Amino acid sequence: MAYRWRYLNETGNETAGPDETFADQPEAEEWLTDTWPELLDQGIDSVTLLDAEAEVYGPMSLHEQT
């Protein structure tokens, strides 16, 4: 299966984001670790990791915890 991210805006609605797919969960998570600031700048507030169409986890906020 292919892993990908579902992108959500501040109201929790799905929004457009990079159309990236990954061979496995660690690869998807590494990509997110490297790109989350840019996603936040694009108006993406949270993400959900998908394996094909099945939710692995999320939604997970991209905002830093204080």
Side-chain angles (χ1 to χ4, degrees):
M1 294 291 174
Y3 288 81
R4 66 182 180 90
W5 294 100
R6 176 186 299 148
Y7 308 104
L8 306 169
N9 62 20
E10 65 184 19
T11 60
N13 293 316
E14 195 166 339
T15 190
D19 187 21
E20 299 282 340
T21 57
F22 309 93
D24 55 34
Q25 184 173 340
E27 183 183 352
E29 292 169 339
E30 182 176 338
W31 178 86
L32 183 64
T33 297
D34 294 340
T35 60
W36 71 266
E38 291 86 8
L39 297 175
L40 198 55
D41 288 345
Q42 294 173 24
I44 297 168
D45 289 279
S46 60
V47 294
T48 297
L49 182 61
L50 303 174
D51 180 2
E53 294 302 315
E55 289 187 8
V56 177
Y57 63 80
M60 177 177 65
S61 176
L62 296 180
H63 296 275
E64 292 186 57
Q65 300 295 321
T66 57

